[in-house]
Amino acid sequence: MIFNKIIFLSILSLLVSKSAYAYLDPGSGSLLFYFLIGALATIIYSIKNFIFKTKAHLRKYIHGEKVNFKKKRNIVFYSEGGHYWSTFKSVIEELLSQGVECSYYSSDKNDEGLKYESSKLETMFIGNGQYSQMSLNYLKAKILVMTTPQLDVLHLKKSKDVDYFVHLIHSPIDVFKYRPFSFDFFDCIMCSGYYQIDHLRMIEKERNLKSKNLLETGLVYFDELLKTKQEMNSLNDGKNDQKIILVAPTWGRSSLLNIAGFNSIKILIDAGFEVILRPHPQSYISDLKLIKEIELKCNKSDQVSIDNNPSAQESMEKAHLMISDVSGIIFDFTFVYEKPVVTFKSLLDQDSLLEINKINKEKADKTKIWEIENKSKISTEINVSDINNLPEIIKETLQKDFQSSIKKLRSASVFNYGYAGKVASSQLQTILKDL
């Protein structure tokens, strides 16, 4: 009877599972829920392995694809999608300049990184969804570097033939905003700021975890933004007085678009602003229906454009001001471009912050989320109830000077600003030598 139930659950999982990029929806239950999901994933793992091996051999012999599980790679970078290429590019180029062989694998066949040419770099599209996850499960490498969280928690399992697992944090957000167990099973975390190190140590202490190698790396993709950064207003040459507003919210049920919907954009259109809407990439997975509805309405106005490019760089260069909630892109816009931002207060899903709630349960001096504590220093914060006053608030914010506050917070919060790629390359080479 138990065996039959296991088989039934396994077949059901195979039939209904979708690409999830190793994320859980923000409203997901509790820590126990994650344990149960992990246990179920382990039960069905061997069945999926068999199916994967069969698919791999069929693809190899029918389509001529070179799926080589025998060769052990040096340093492998795995990207969930093309928008992460800018996160890896700088460090990969530094490694190549030092003569270090490495590999770049992506789940996005249109990833620009797959076109990069170097005799020292192997690039490969490894499929998407379960196929890419299983490919990584069979990977042989000395070091695997990724931005994907929750290693060995859900679908993405640790390959026994990878010596060292590294998570490269790709945004200056607090680690407490990630799902539970996001970092537990990595050997090393390349952190962007001191607060990430402090808070990861709190999580380790709370759950009696082995201390990980937490490195002072910085934000590698800032290197790329700075390399090609254009002068302020270079894309706005002054011939058009119309202000361009970039709306760039986070994803999930507490995001600006989930709470205010298209109204947050309509208010700007009615006030005569040109609007660029840049939904978070995860919105097209977790909030797809909502995003499609908003896009349909946006397409009816010639004042609105939708940015789905892998990099937000062009939109950030064009925009005079950004509107956001608690998305990490706030700090890209302020730290790199030093432009003004309007943010919304209290748009944070408390139910999903299981890690920090557990940490704070018995503490009188509560630990705070870094961006919630600091975004008021570099932006105009308003309540959702003030959304109808956005046009006036924007005009007032454009007159303010945030640059000194931005520079102060950036200096205090970001490691190795402008040269994180070089630092990351050196750190990986040190790890490689020590293995």
Side-chain angles (χ1 to χ4, degrees):
M1 179 66 72
I2 294 176
F3 179 78
N4 290 338
K5 287 183 178 180
I6 292 174
I7 293 297
F8 172 75
L9 288 172
S10 301
I11 294 172
L12 182 62
S13 171
L14 291 171
L15 289 174
V16 304
S17 61
K18 299 179 181 178
S19 299
Y21 295 92
Y23 289 103
L24 286 180
D25 191 75
S28 300
S30 64
L31 295 177
L32 178 60
F33 173 78
Y34 286 86
F35 280 121
L36 294 175
I37 291 296
L40 179 59
T42 300
I43 292 173
I44 66 176
Y45 183 58
S46 60
I47 297 176
K48 288 190 175 183
N49 279 350
F50 173 77
I51 292 174
F52 167 73
K53 282 186 174 181
T54 303
K55 285 183 178 180
H57 286 294
L58 286 173
R59 290 175 68 143
K60 179 176 179 181
Y61 291 110
I62 295 175
H63 300 290
E65 295 184 5
K66 297 179 180 179
V67 184
N68 182 359
F69 299 116
K70 295 182 179 180
K71 178 184 175 183
K72 187 157 189 171
R73 274 73 176 181
N74 203 30
I75 302 175
V76 175
F77 295 85
Y78 167 63
S79 172
E80 293 179 48
H83 50 284
Y84 290 109
W85 168 237
S86 61
T87 300
F88 297 114
K89 184 180 178 183
S90 182
V91 61
I92 288 175
E93 288 182 334
E94 288 294 333
L95 287 168
L96 296 177
S97 71
Q98 298 292 320
V100 180
E101 291 185 352
C102 47
S103 304
Y104 181 75
Y105 297 165
S106 178
S107 292
D108 182 356
K109 62 182 178 182
N110 297 315
D111 192 326
E112 287 295 316
L114 297 177
K115 301 175 185 177
Y116 196 96
E117 294 184 1
S118 170
S119 60
K120 296 288 185 180
L121 180 67
E122 172 201 29
T123 63
M124 187 185 300
F125 169 59
I126 59 171
N128 49 34
Q130 292 181 353
Y131 192 83
S132 65
Q133 294 158 7
M134 288 297 190
S135 295
L136 295 173
N137 292 344
Y138 281 94
L139 178 68
K140 294 183 178 181
K142 294 178 182 177
I143 299 174
L144 175 58
V145 185
M146 64 177 73
T147 59
T148 309
Q150 292 189 306
L151 174 67
D152 223 27
V153 175
L154 293 174
H155 301 290
L156 187 55
K157 299 297 181 181
K158 295 180 74 171
S159 168
K160 60 183 177 60
D161 294 311
V162 172
D163 299 331
Y164 203 81
F165 292 86
V166 177
H167 183 94
L168 175 60
I169 293 182
H170 65 282
S171 177
I173 64 171
D174 202 310
V175 296
F176 283 135
K177 283 183 65 183
Y178 284 77
R179 304 278 72 80
F181 315 113
S182 286
F183 306 101
D184 287 20
F185 301 108
F186 287 94
D187 300 296
C188 171
I189 312 294
M190 302 180 100
C191 301
S192 68
Y194 71 91
Y195 52 94
Q196 292 172 350
I197 292 177
D198 291 347
H199 293 173
L200 283 168
R201 292 299 184 211
M202 289 182 186
I203 293 171
E204 289 175 345
K205 183 178 179 181
E206 174 66 27
R207 292 210 291 274
N208 295 316
L209 300 172
K210 179 182 176 181
S211 294
K212 285 176 281 296
N213 185 13
L214 304 183
L215 300 177
E216 296 183 1
T217 303
L219 291 161
V220 175
Y221 73 96
F222 274 9
D223 297 1
E224 288 302 304
L225 292 178
L226 288 165
K227 281 179 186 177
T228 52
K229 176 185 174 183
Q230 302 185 30
E231 293 297 324
M232 185 73 74
N233 295 328
S234 62
L235 296 181
N236 302 300
D237 56 12
K239 295 179 181 178
N240 189 345
D241 292 332
Q242 188 178 39
K243 297 300 182 183
I244 301 174
I245 310 301
L246 174 58
V247 179
T250 188
W251 61 282
R253 67 183 183 181
S254 294
S255 68
L256 175 61
L257 292 182
N258 269 276
I259 291 176
F262 178 70
N263 188 45
S264 59
I265 299 166
K266 184 178 183 300
I267 290 168
L268 302 176
I269 296 171
D270 292 344
F273 292 112
E274 182 179 338
V275 180
I276 302 173
L277 172 62
R278 182 174 174 84
H280 191 287
Q282 185 67 17
S283 296
Y284 288 95
I285 299 170
S286 299
D287 309 316
L288 181 59
K289 183 180 178 181
L290 171 68
I291 295 299
K292 290 302 181 183
E293 290 174 354
I294 291 175
E295 286 186 343
L296 282 174
K297 294 178 181 178
C298 287
N299 290 334
K300 295 178 181 179
S301 171
D302 57 7
Q303 291 174 235
V304 183
S305 59
I306 299 171
D307 178 11
N308 288 318
N309 292 318
S311 171
Q313 180 177 356
E314 184 176 345
S315 292
M316 290 193 289
E317 287 176 342
K318 285 182 178 180
H320 296 90
L321 178 141
M322 174 185 286
I323 293 176
S324 189
D325 34 40
V326 291
S327 175
I329 198 172
I330 294 169
F331 300 97
D332 302 352
F333 195 69
T334 53
F335 286 169
V336 177
Y337 297 95
E338 299 180 2
K339 296 182 183 181
V341 180
V342 174
T343 59
F344 286 85
K345 297 178 182 178
S346 304
L347 293 190
L348 199 61
D349 185 0
Q350 294 295 329
D351 291 337
S352 70
L353 300 178
L354 299 174
E355 297 279 25
I356 194 169
N357 289 340
K358 189 171 175 57
I359 294 288
N360 282 332
K361 189 174 182 180
E362 306 296 333
K363 290 177 62 176
D365 184 18
K366 306 296 185 185
T367 300
K368 298 179 180 178
I369 300 290
W370 176 81
E371 52 265 47
I372 302 302
E373 187 176 14
N374 287 284
K375 66 188 179 80
S376 62
K377 299 174 184 177
I378 57 171
S379 71
T380 298
E381 273 196 310
I382 65 173
N383 294 310
V384 176
S385 58
D386 297 322
I387 196 166
N388 290 325
N389 300 323
L390 259 181
E392 286 302 316
I393 293 169
I394 288 171
K395 291 175 183 177
E396 292 173 4
T397 302
L398 286 168
Q399 300 302 315
K400 296 179 181 179
D401 183 5
F402 290 95
Q403 288 194 2
S404 59
S405 299
I406 288 170
K407 290 175 181 177
K408 183 178 180 181
L409 182 61
R410 182 180 67 200
S411 177
S413 306
V414 180
F415 297 133
N416 309 309
Y417 180 69
Y419 57 95
K422 291 183 179 180
V423 173
S425 170
S426 176
Q427 291 169 337
L428 288 172
Q429 289 182 70
T430 298
I431 292 169
L432 195 60
K433 290 177 183 177
D434 292 341
L435 288 177

